[in-house]
DNA sequence: TCAATTTCTTGATTCAAATCATTGGGACCT
DNA sequence: AGGTCCCAATGATTTGAATCAAGAAATTGA
């Protein structure tokens, strides 16, 4: 049931059987159908989720009501509106299933208990959030310093699975482009082979 | 000497005298003159710094050689190329003093020792990096969802000190705009009062 | 104090991407 | 099969910001 979750932690720190049991006792499970929301803007994000199966997208809405995708998540990835989760404030992000999903959830009380009781869990979280920060920083750097063509090539290289599983107009949204522009970028790239 | 550093930690966790002494023993001090670099692209980032006094900018260089400012740092803020620091890879960021600066440094060996020996230091770091992640996420969200005018107003509200201490064209660079465009935005805003 | 640099503003032109509009191809229904 | 919906590709037009250019204002430094 929680193999993906535990193996993710064990990649960073080695848990004993006891610790594994303690952690699993604080997890819950959830399934989502395609198009169901894990989180909607305005609600408080009560859980951080780890994707055991499926695909989801995170998006925000701008002042004109347009959606902008800020992240995708596939198997093994974590998601949630961290700001809303930690401060128990209304979320600004929406998280929607793009396929039927299996999620593994941890609530705020569970999160805090584990941080306190299991030092390795705190270490794991420090490492996880540090890596997320580095990845986000890298993404912003790429958006600044690469041409749209280069950016798309980089995206296809780093996330080939997403390209296969997600409609193209959503990748355009993620890249901050109109669907038409991404379409033209693709044809431009394939011309120069 | 290290008051700013310790008070930053004590905001999040309460250190004993012993712990404070242990931490201070692992810190070093550095001064920078205006226009000196704390870090240059290609070098390995050997230290994370906390600004005790002064102002700095972090920037990256794109394929055409243009600079893009990704962050400013004033008193009490931390900086460094985290990716380069942790993985001991060449940095992609440049960090330059905008004023004469006093920095408080922590090396990688010191960082790892403290993480291990002082659990509160790990907790502090987890909280710090989590807040940095949330702030970076908020910034990307603003860049996506706000008009340049709104973005500038928000920037002035959140960082009035930076606006006072940093040339306008650098703020334009931070916002991803040309200096001319930011100038026009300012006149547009002041017209509508 | 005066020259040199840096910084900011304003105007004219150019350009890349958004928008608007149309078409064609699948996929999924009954 | 036929119809509806969704998605991608392509063309025409518009638009907002970058670029190019020049000059004014402010800082800096000898």
């Amino acid at each position: 049931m929680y193999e993906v979750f535990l193996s993710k932690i064990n990649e960073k720190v080695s848990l004993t059987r006891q610790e594994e049991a303690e952690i699993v006792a604080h997890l819950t499970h959830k399934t989502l159908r395609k198009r169901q929301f894990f989180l909607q803007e305005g609600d408080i994000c009560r859980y951080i989720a780890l994707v055991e199966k499926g695909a989801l997208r995170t998006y925000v809405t701008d002042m004109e009501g347009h959606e902008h995708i800020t992240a995708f998540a596939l198997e093994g990835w974590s998601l949630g509106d961290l700001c809303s989760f930690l401060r128990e404030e209304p979320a600004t992000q929406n998280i929607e299933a793009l396929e039927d999903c299996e999620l593994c959830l941890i609530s705020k009380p569970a999160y805090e208990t584990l941080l306190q009781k299991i030092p390795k869990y705190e270490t794991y979280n420090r490492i996880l959030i540090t890596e997320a920060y580095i990845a986000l920083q890298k993404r912003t750097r790429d958006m600044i310093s690469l041409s749209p063509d280069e950016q798309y090539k980089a995206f296809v290289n780093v996330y080939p699975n997403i390209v296969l599983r997600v409609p193209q107009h959503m990748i355009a949204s993620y890249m901050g482009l109109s669907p038409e522009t991404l379409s033209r970028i693709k044809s431009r790239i394939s011309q120069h082979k």
Side-chain angles (χ1 to χ4, degrees), chain A residues 38-56:
Chain A
F38 169 67
L39 177 68
Q40 276 185 292
E41 213 172 325
D43 293 349
I44 292 175
C45 181
R46 299 287 179 194
Y47 303 95
I48 294 295
L50 184 121
V51 185
E52 302 236 319
K53 187 146 182 20
L56 304 95

Side-chain angles (χ1 to χ4, degrees), chain A residues 126-142:
Chain A
R126 177 181 55 79
I127 294 173
L128 193 70
I129 190 75
T130 301
E131 288 180 350
Y133 179 81
I134 289 175
L136 186 56
Q137 206 171 46
K138 180 170 162 40
R139 194 193 152 200
T140 23
R141 188 175 60 241
D142 284 355

Side-chain angles (χ1 to χ4, degrees), chain A residues 11 13 16 20 33 46 69 73 82 98 146 154 177 188:
Chain A
E11 277 175 24
V13 295
T16 63
E20 288 193 356
R33 292 294 196 73
R46 299 287 179 194
I69 295 177
L82 200 54
L98 298 174
L146 298 183
L177 301 172
R188 208 151 57 202

Side-chain angles (χ1 to χ4, degrees), chain A residues 2 28-32 36-38 47 101-105:
Chain A
Y2 297 119
T28 54
H29 196 263
K30 176 163 187 126
T31 65
L32 280 183
Q36 266 194 300
F37 282 85
F38 169 67
Y47 303 95
C101 289
E102 309 262 331
L103 303 179
C104 170
L105 306 186

